[in-house]
Amino acid sequence: MRPRNIVWMLAACLTGLAPAALAQDEVVITASRIAEPQALGATPVAVLDAGELARIGAHHVAETLNRAPGVFINRGNGAEHLTAIRSPVLTGGAGAGSFLYLEDGIPLRAPGFANVNGLFEAIDDLAARVEVVRGPGGAAYGSNALHGLINFISRDPETPEALAELEYGSFGRARARAFAQGPLDTGAGFIGLSTRHEDGWRDDAGLDRVALQARLDGSLGAMNWSLRGAAVDLNQETATYIRGFRAFEDKAVARSNPDPEAFRDATALRAALHLDRRLNDLWRVQGAVYGRSNDMTFRLHFLPSEALERTGHDSIGGQSALVREWGEGNRLMLGADAEWSHGYLTENQTLPGFGDFPQGLHYDYEVDALVGAVFAQGRYFLTDALSLEAGARVENTRYDYATNIPAGQEGRFLRPDDRTDEFTTFAPSAGLTWRVSPGVQLFTRAARGVRAPQTAELYRLQPGQQIAGISPEELDSLEGGARLDLWGRGQAEITAFAMRKQNVFFRDADSFNVTDGETRHAGIELDGAFDVTNRLSLAVSGTWADHEYAFDRAVQSSSETIRDGAQVDTAPEWLWNARLVWRPVDKAVIETEWLHVGKYFADAANTAAYDGHDLLNLRASYELGSGWQVFGGLRNLTDERYAERADFAFGSYRYFPGEPRSVFAGVRIRS
């Protein structure tokens, strides 16, 4: 990174042109499982509140999450996506298992059965807020909270409110949502429904998604309880990669779908009972019991076999903690978590056999998974201005695997015999926060993130692989930064981080799995907002990051040989998101958004690249009175031809083309 760029970023933070919204008294939940002021913690958390979520009106969850620093969600067709949080954009098992997606603190999926497109199961358009933790999740969270975690927090039903909203836009896109909440005879309740439909701007690329969410809060003596449930149904026709150098610039090619048979159908059901009871002035107990069921069928359009996969799992689990709170912010939490899941997977190639890809079943297996963990975390104020926080988590994961078809090798597929595998991980963390003055706070944190291998990584083997060579991934992270009050008109946070990851699991250019990779990561993030005038505000998030391979690996395709020090592919050096929000009159809001994705390499050998892009979005709303509001906007205002994702594989460039200019408009009524 050039020195002048470091100086520019620091100057921007200190002068108020600093990036995305952060209030020093903002209450956050995700970092520690307990609601507390953001300024108390040493963990950076980005918050997107209900007002911002409504203003975005996201058609895809990437529109929301890419406002957080360090986050880069590659949008695929429909609800598909690939995620990066302080990381390259990760695929396969790494993409599925390196990020933890939560609803009210409970994972959307069981740890060993993560889905690389797992965010489609989140109900973002009914959430009260979204919190994003960058870096390891700490002692409160276990496997998969490696690079970061995202928590979708449901609405508190205590405040009476009702909303109905309809929206229509380009490409046959229609969106509707409605909810009602408020006091009931048994306490307070919430129920919400959201639906999305689009014909798709590409050929054979339709989407239908329905989500239902409900919550009922009450008390029984000294016990506060909250019963929460959700259901998501997805039916999607999938538009796949287009091929050819800069193919996304050709309108006809960008709209085409090389594999019109590709699809994804999925359902997700979940329910949880949250409990909280105060024992006395110092102690309280809290926890949750939950269950989930996930099922998905889709075509593996990204592989030559284009096999049909069906996968899913059912789980029951519990979280528990004993909490002691005393003084001004001192806290000790002792907890235990447990979860049991039964999962299954079949992969069936319907195409005639060719090469190493035989027709018929490649895999058909079931796995019973048992995960248990104990953890401790706490905070103690050494002085009025200096606090120490620390924690550790020990987690054991056991998989009991059984194949339903004969074990052995067939083509490039290796099916292991029935077996049991067990992994134990240890994740410590420690941090300091120091309030230098009323407007300046410094923080630092060291943490380890872990993830046990995914079941698909262990039991969908290839010739030459042995399960004994697959170990849990570990990521060691060190970060530090400052939170600043900008003269009472805004806030800013700047964070620098350095990380090293071991036992990295990924698929190389020969399409074989690597189990012992190693990578290095470093970067600087900015997050802040500033009120320019009483009616004009600026919010900006920015990230500079360097992601490198830390090992060598030769492959038959010499152009894809990995070398120590090379950049990891699909890892932009620069990411920016800036929003200018103008309220010309009390009833009107106009937001202009600029997104910048910098240049990145499209292959592991750093021989192919994507130049990056810049997008402009415009959104506006106007209050008509009596609770009525109209809204609308333009996405990709300049009709930029760009790629949501660029990749170089199998000897050619391939892209997920970016959506051209689109318009939307809608009406909502609130009471």
Side-chain angles (χ1 to χ4, degrees):
M1 182 179 184
R2 295 185 180 94
R4 70 181 186 210
N5 289 333
I6 298 176
V7 172
W8 187 92
M9 293 179 75
L10 291 172
C13 181
L14 294 173
T15 60
L17 295 177
L22 217 273
Q24 294 294 325
D25 56 354
E26 180 83 68
V27 173
V28 298
I29 299 168
T30 305
S32 61
R33 282 195 192 174
I34 292 179
E36 63 181 11
Q38 186 171 4
L40 281 181
T43 302
V45 183
V47 178
L48 299 138
D49 62 20
E52 188 163 12
L53 295 177
R55 190 164 64 246
I56 297 169
H59 293 157
H60 189 286
V61 70
E63 295 178 65
T64 298
L65 296 176
N66 284 342
R67 294 190 172 200
V71 177
F72 181 41
I73 308 293
N74 274 188
R75 179 176 179 175
N77 178 71
E80 293 190 349
H81 65 89
L82 296 169
T83 299
I85 304 176
R86 284 191 181 173
S87 71
V89 173
L90 299 176
T91 61
S98 297
F99 315 102
L100 189 59
Y101 306 139
L102 310 165
E103 182 177 76
D104 292 331
I106 295 175
L108 296 178
R109 299 177 70 89
F113 303 92
N115 178 1
V116 73
N117 291 282
L119 283 169
F120 85 80
E121 296 168 335
I123 307 180
D124 55 304
D125 44 6
L126 294 175
R129 57 198 278 122
V130 181
E131 297 182 358
V132 182
V133 172
R134 290 108 62 195
Y141 301 100
S143 189
N144 294 25
L146 190 72
H147 279 277
L149 56 92
I150 303 170
N151 194 9
F152 297 84
I153 298 171
S154 63
R155 300 181 67 90
D156 185 342
E158 290 289 342
T159 303
E161 185 179 358
L163 177 140
E165 178 180 290
L166 292 173
E167 177 190 315
Y168 186 75
S170 304
F171 314 121
R173 184 171 281 140
R175 188 170 66 94
R177 66 179 182 130
F179 66 80
Q181 64 183 57
L184 301 169
D185 292 341
T186 54
F190 164 86
I191 186 166
L193 175 71
S194 72
T195 65
R196 301 179 188 176
H197 168 82
E198 58 185 61
D199 297 334
W201 74 275
R202 300 179 63 193
D203 297 337
D204 301 296
L207 168 73
D208 288 287
R209 181 181 181 272
V210 180
L212 175 68
Q213 190 175 51
R215 175 171 168 174
L216 182 63
D217 291 7
S219 60
L220 184 62
M223 178 74 75
N224 295 319
W225 55 267
S226 180
L227 181 62
R228 309 173 192 185
V232 178
D233 182 75
L234 175 77
N235 298 104
Q236 173 184 300
E237 298 174 283
T238 301
T240 61
Y241 283 111
I242 57 172
R243 291 187 177 274
F245 180 61
R246 302 186 70 86
F248 56 86
E249 294 181 341
D250 186 312
K251 293 183 180 181
V253 174
R255 288 183 178 273
S256 69
N257 182 2
D259 190 352
E261 301 301 317
F263 73 96
R264 183 183 299 271
D265 294 337
T267 58
L269 302 171
R270 50 187 180 266
L273 176 63
H274 295 252
L275 303 170
D276 193 322
R277 175 169 180 161
R278 182 160 290 282
L279 303 176
N280 53 44
D281 291 341
L282 293 178
W283 292 95
R284 79 179 207 250
V285 292
Q286 63 177 38
V289 292
Y290 58 88
R292 71 168 80 85
S293 180
N294 304 73
D295 182 85
M296 181 168 61
T297 303
F298 73 105
R299 191 169 295 282
L300 299 169
H301 59 83
F302 44 83
L303 296 178
S305 67
E306 296 193 357
L308 192 67
E309 178 180 302
R310 182 167 184 258
T311 182
H313 66 281
D314 303 302
S315 307
I316 56 173
Q319 299 176 341
S320 63
L322 178 65
V323 184
R324 186 178 194 269
E325 297 171 307
W326 73 101
E328 296 295 326
N330 296 322
R331 186 182 69 244
L332 173 66
M333 176 185 287
L334 305 173
D337 300 338
E339 179 174 302
W340 173 86
S341 300
H342 174 77
Y344 54 89
L345 181 144
T346 63
E347 180 183 318
N348 183 25
Q349 180 175 318
T350 57
L351 295 176
F354 60 93
D356 291 334
F357 295 89
Q359 187 177 37
L361 283 170
H362 297 163
Y363 303 100
D364 182 357
Y365 63 78
E366 300 178 38
V367 180
D368 288 324
L370 182 62
V371 180
V374 293
F375 69 91
Q377 65 177 13
R379 176 184 297 110
Y380 184 74
F381 274 82
L382 303 172
T383 70
D384 290 341
L386 181 65
S387 67
L388 168 68
E389 61 181 59
R393 182 183 184 95
V394 178
E395 185 167 288
N396 181 263
T397 301
R398 175 190 170 99
Y399 297 135
D400 291 311
Y401 156 88
T403 180
N404 297 320
I405 55 177
Q409 180 180 340
E410 188 173 3
R412 66 183 294 117
F413 307 100
L414 177 62
R415 298 186 287 264
D417 289 307
D418 296 358
R419 57 181 292 130
T420 296
D421 295 286
E422 196 165 350
F423 306 92
T424 300
T425 57
F426 176 63
S429 62
L432 288 168
T433 60
W434 178 32
R435 191 175 68 251
V436 179
S437 68
V440 178
Q441 183 189 57
L442 304 180
F443 60 90
T444 186
R445 178 174 180 256
R448 168 170 290 181
V450 296
R451 77 169 183 95
Q454 300 295 294
T455 54
E457 294 172 332
L458 290 171
Y459 307 124
R460 297 171 85 171
L461 297 177
Q462 297 169 346
Q465 269 193 291
Q466 295 182 354
I467 293 177
I470 302 176
S471 301
E473 285 191 3
E474 295 182 347
L475 182 147
D476 291 316
S477 170
L478 178 63
E479 62 188 325
R483 299 184 181 112
L484 308 172
D485 177 78
L486 302 175
W487 311 289
R489 300 190 66 88
Q491 299 82 32
E493 180 179 274
I494 182 168
T495 308
F497 66 87
M499 308 187 300
R500 191 175 185 98
K501 186 164 64 167
Q502 303 178 70
N503 305 324
V504 178
F505 190 109
F506 69 98
R507 189 181 296 268
D508 68 14
D510 289 338
S511 294
F512 285 99
N513 292 330
V514 178
T515 62
D516 58 352
E518 192 167 340
T519 56
R520 294 182 292 263
H521 313 266
I524 300 174
E525 300 164 342
L526 291 171
D527 192 13
F530 187 75
D531 291 332
V532 182
T533 70
N534 292 336
R535 292 192 176 275
L536 186 66
S537 62
L538 174 68
V540 186
S541 65
T543 306
W544 170 84
D546 180 67
H547 305 283
E548 294 181 348
Y549 290 107
F551 74 113
D552 297 311
R553 180 174 176 83
V555 295
Q556 292 180 9
S557 173
S558 59
S559 63
E560 285 272 23
T561 294
I562 295 172
R563 294 181 174 84
D564 191 341
Q567 297 293 301
V568 183
D569 48 292
T570 327
E573 184 180 12
W574 288 96
L575 294 169
W576 287 103
N577 182 296
R579 287 94 63 197
L580 194 64
V581 180
W582 180 38
R583 295 170 177 81
V585 296
D586 291 342
K587 295 183 178 182
V589 178
I590 300 172
E591 179 189 85
T592 303
E593 180 184 27
W594 166 60
L595 300 95
H596 171 75
V597 174
K599 182 178 179 179
Y600 58 83
F601 289 108
D603 67 335
N606 296 177
T607 61
Y610 174 66
D611 290 334
H613 59 262
D614 293 273
L615 300 178
L616 289 176
N617 298 321
L618 179 68
R619 301 177 178 90
S621 63
Y622 186 81
E623 299 284 350
L624 299 175
S626 302
W628 287 87
Q629 183 184 68
V630 292
F631 61 91
L634 288 164
R635 290 179 169 87
N636 192 2
L637 182 64
T638 61
D639 202 23
E640 177 80 6
R641 295 294 164 184
Y642 72 101
E644 286 281 356
R645 172 176 170 80
D647 186 36
F648 187 88
F650 306 106
S652 67
Y653 281 90
R654 58 181 187 172
Y655 305 94
F656 285 147
E659 186 175 295
R661 180 169 50 231
S662 64
V663 62
F664 66 95
V667 60
R668 68 171 63 100
I669 181 170
R670 190 188 303 268
S671 63

